[in-house]
Amino acid sequence: MSTTFRRPARSRQTIAVVAYDDGRTAYLWLDGDGRTDGLHLMALARDGQALGTLPDGVIQSVRRVR
């Protein structure tokens, strides 16, 4: 009996870290989002603040982690 090795399917989830000017960090999970450039991630982080999924505060940077 032979077995073949298969790689697990790559996750379509993107994770970004949101850094605030007071030193706090938060994580932003994006399902199936193909655009991960800086301006798009910053806009999504601000939308997350407006919706209440991210804490309020001045966002210093948003960086893709995975």
Side-chain angles (χ1 to χ4, degrees), residues 2 4 10 16 18 25-27 29 32-33 41-42 44 46 48 50 52 59 63 65:
S2 67
T4 57
R10 185 172 178 178
V18 180
T25 57
Y27 290 94
W29 282 268
D33 193 33
L41 288 176
M42 183 66 81
L44 290 174
R46 289 194 178 128
I59 297 175
R63 182 175 48 97
V65 177

Side-chain angles (χ1 to χ4, degrees), residues 27-60:
Y27 290 94
L28 180 64
W29 282 268
L30 307 167
D31 290 327
D33 193 33
R35 293 187 56 196
T36 57
D37 58 339
L39 292 176
H40 184 69
L41 288 176
M42 183 66 81
L44 290 174
R46 289 194 178 128
D47 290 344
Q49 282 184 323
L51 292 173
T53 58
L54 286 175
D56 289 333
V58 179
I59 297 175
Q60 183 178 5

Side-chain angles (χ1 to χ4, degrees), residues 1-23:
M1 183 178 274
S2 67
T3 60
T4 57
F5 174 76
R6 281 191 178 184
R7 274 189 185 179
R10 185 172 178 178
S11 174
R12 300 226 184 253
Q13 190 175 49
T14 301
I15 301 173
V17 63
V18 180
Y20 292 90
D21 66 343
D22 60 358

